[in-house]
Amino acid sequence: YGDRPVPQVALLYPSESYQRSSPVPYSRSLSMLQGTLYSLLDGQNCVEILMEHHLSGNMSKYPLIIVPECNYLSDSFIAELRQYARNGGRLLVIGAETAGLFREELGIESYTKQAKSQVFFESGGRIGSARTEIADIKLRPDANAYSMFYRGSDFNAPSDMIAASISNSGSGRVAGIYFNAGSCYSEYKTPLLRDFLSEIISELYRDPLVRVSGSQLVHVALNRLNGKTYVNLINVAGEHTNQTAIGYDQVPALENLEVSIRTETKPSAIMLQPEGKKLKFSYKDGISTVKVGRLALHSILEISFRI
């Protein structure tokens, strides 16, 4: 107890927007936020969920801030996000309506929200699809399209509609995804959508503190306590995102994982907890690399440094 998360990716919980659009008081329908969170975690990002009052005044601590689907943010909060980006921050805006709140920052010249329809997008040389509202936008000459929609599941049928863009803003960068990717991930979960978000995040935030290879079924949380860094590795191979599953009794173990941790100095030791097992690791160019032979449910890499 007493450990603190290491600021990495801040996912905004836009509470004012959700309160305004909730069909009933105290509605718990947050599929858009939940879908965005799952896609980020499945992409092995270290994520904190923060409401406006948590994030305001603390934005500079986070290398990347993500605004999920919403239709309202206060003028003062938008102004603070705008200044965060201009000062070197990275901002990702997701959603057809959300894009309309950040037209200037995204470099949008014209904007029209279109009704829900089937869209096709590309990731990693493959085409995926989803049914969603989209923002039909045109960019100013100083803004850059990152990804385009397709007319079907065929690379020979590109459209002239922009799926995502990345633009400079002061010394920072702002990216937009022009469809409701969070809701789509809840309704039509696919690794293509996960990878689509991951590719854009990699363009904005090239040097995360932790990378895991060997399986996509690992969620990562990063904490510090008493001068030590703790990398939490969580096996999510079970039915954790199945809303109809009341319970499940088997989670297959994951094997032969490789974890890379960016550290300012070479660690004095890396221990696998709770086993208390000292692990061999390599250190090169500020990156410690260690192998985890087996992840059953939840293991922790305890990283110590010489004082």
Side-chain angles (χ1 to χ4, degrees), residues 79-91 104-105 168-174:
E80 190 173 352
L81 285 170
R82 182 181 296 125
Q83 192 61 46
Y84 159 81
R86 288 175 178 169
N87 291 343
R90 268 53 177 168
L91 181 64
E104 179 62 29
E105 293 70 38
N168 295 323
S169 178
S171 57
R173 303 184 83 193
V174 181

Side-chain angles (χ1 to χ4, degrees), residues 48-195:
E48 289 180 64
I49 301 175
L50 301 167
M51 290 184 176
E52 290 95 332
H53 64 281
H54 295 128
L55 197 51
S56 182
N58 294 302
M59 293 184 184
S60 62
K61 296 178 181 178
Y62 294 90
L64 175 63
I65 296 176
I66 297 177
V67 180
E69 297 158 44
C70 63
N71 57 20
Y72 173 82
L73 293 171
S74 70
D75 291 342
S76 60
F77 190 74
I78 290 176
E80 190 173 352
L81 285 170
R82 182 181 296 125
Q83 192 61 46
Y84 159 81
R86 288 175 178 169
N87 291 343
R90 268 53 177 168
L91 181 64
L92 173 58
V93 177
I94 301 174
E97 284 194 273
T98 324
L101 302 176
F102 294 89
R103 299 185 198 191
E104 179 62 29
E105 293 70 38
L106 290 168
I108 294 175
E109 188 173 80
S110 66
Y111 164 92
T112 305
K113 193 182 82 167
Q114 294 195 353
K116 184 178 285 190
S117 62
Q118 188 172 23
V119 299
F120 297 86
F121 58 91
E122 183 271 336
S123 175
R126 297 175 294 172
I127 292 181
S129 68
R131 188 167 182 81
T132 173
E133 294 178 340
I134 64 172
D136 184 3
I137 62 109
K138 295 293 184 289
L139 294 174
R140 298 193 309 260
D142 60 331
N144 302 296
Y146 177 81
S147 179
M148 308 298 289
F149 286 118
Y150 286 79
R151 293 189 177 89
S153 55
D154 185 347
F155 283 110
N156 294 317
S159 77
D160 59 356
M161 296 184 66
I162 298 170
S165 70
I166 301 178
S167 301
N168 295 323
S169 178
S171 57
R173 303 184 83 193
V174 181
I177 294 176
Y178 301 109
F179 63 100
N180 295 340
S183 296
C184 288
Y185 201 72
S186 289
E187 298 173 21
Y188 317 103
K189 183 177 178 181
T190 165
L192 282 169
L193 191 52
R194 175 201 68 201
D195 293 346

Side-chain angles (χ1 to χ4, degrees), residues 5-294:
V6 179
Q8 291 287 277
V9 177
L11 174 61
L12 174 66
Y13 183 120
S15 57
E16 292 187 58
S17 177
Y18 292 166
Q19 288 165 6
R20 286 168 175 247
S21 60
S22 174
V24 295
Y26 311 112
S27 170
R28 298 180 64 184
S29 177
L30 293 173
S31 62
M32 67 292 286
L33 181 69
Q34 188 180 58
T36 303
L37 175 63
Y38 283 156
S39 66
L40 295 173
L41 293 175
D42 289 349
Q44 300 178 339
N45 296 282
C46 301
V47 183
E48 289 180 64
I49 301 175
L50 301 167
M51 290 184 176
E52 290 95 332
H53 64 281
H54 295 128
L55 197 51
S56 182
N58 294 302
M59 293 184 184
S60 62
K61 296 178 181 178
Y62 294 90
L64 175 63
I65 296 176
I66 297 177
V67 180
E69 297 158 44
C70 63
N71 57 20
Y72 173 82
L73 293 171
S74 70
D75 291 342
S76 60
F77 190 74
I78 290 176
E80 190 173 352
L81 285 170
R82 182 181 296 125
Q83 192 61 46
Y84 159 81
R86 288 175 178 169
N87 291 343
R90 268 53 177 168
L91 181 64
L92 173 58
V93 177
I94 301 174
E97 284 194 273
T98 324
L101 302 176
F102 294 89
R103 299 185 198 191
E104 179 62 29
E105 293 70 38
L106 290 168
I108 294 175
E109 188 173 80
S110 66
Y111 164 92
T112 305
K113 193 182 82 167
Q114 294 195 353
K116 184 178 285 190
S117 62
Q118 188 172 23
V119 299
F120 297 86
F121 58 91
E122 183 271 336
S123 175
R126 297 175 294 172
I127 292 181
S129 68
R131 188 167 182 81
T132 173
E133 294 178 340
I134 64 172
D136 184 3
I137 62 109
K138 295 293 184 289
L139 294 174
R140 298 193 309 260
D142 60 331
N144 302 296
Y146 177 81
S147 179
M148 308 298 289
F149 286 118
Y150 286 79
R151 293 189 177 89
S153 55
D154 185 347
F155 283 110
N156 294 317
S159 77
D160 59 356
M161 296 184 66
I162 298 170
S165 70
I166 301 178
S167 301
N168 295 323
S169 178
S171 57
R173 303 184 83 193
V174 181
I177 294 176
Y178 301 109
F179 63 100
N180 295 340
S183 296
C184 288
Y185 201 72
S186 289
E187 298 173 21
Y188 317 103
K189 183 177 178 181
T190 165
L192 282 169
L193 191 52
R194 175 201 68 201
D195 293 346
F196 180 82
L197 267 69
S198 292
E199 288 172 10
I200 295 171
I201 288 171
S202 294
E203 286 293 318
L204 293 173
Y205 179 34
R206 296 180 180 273
D207 297 311
L209 293 183
V210 180
R211 293 185 187 273
V212 180
S213 60
S215 175
Q216 286 287 345
L217 300 174
V218 183
H219 286 183
V220 181
L222 187 62
N223 300 79
R224 287 199 180 109
L225 177 65
N226 298 330
K228 295 182 179 181
T229 297
Y230 296 88
V231 179
N232 293 266
L233 304 173
I234 303 156
N235 181 349
V236 293
E239 299 258 6
H240 68 288
T241 59
N242 186 347
Q243 300 294 324
T244 64
I246 297 175
Y248 51 96
D249 59 1
Q250 185 175 1
V251 177
L254 305 176
E255 297 182 344
N256 301 319
L257 304 176
E258 185 174 276
V259 185
S260 300
I261 309 107
R262 187 175 299 277
T263 58
E264 293 182 1
T265 59
K266 182 179 180 179
S268 57
I270 298 180
M271 304 286 291
L272 183 66
Q273 300 291 7
E275 295 92 332
K277 179 182 178 182
K278 189 173 183 178
L279 300 178
K280 294 181 180 180
F281 67 95
S282 63
Y283 183 78
K284 183 180 180 181
D285 298 330
I287 297 176
S288 300
T289 303
V290 63
K291 293 186 182 298
V292 177
R294 188 173 189 272

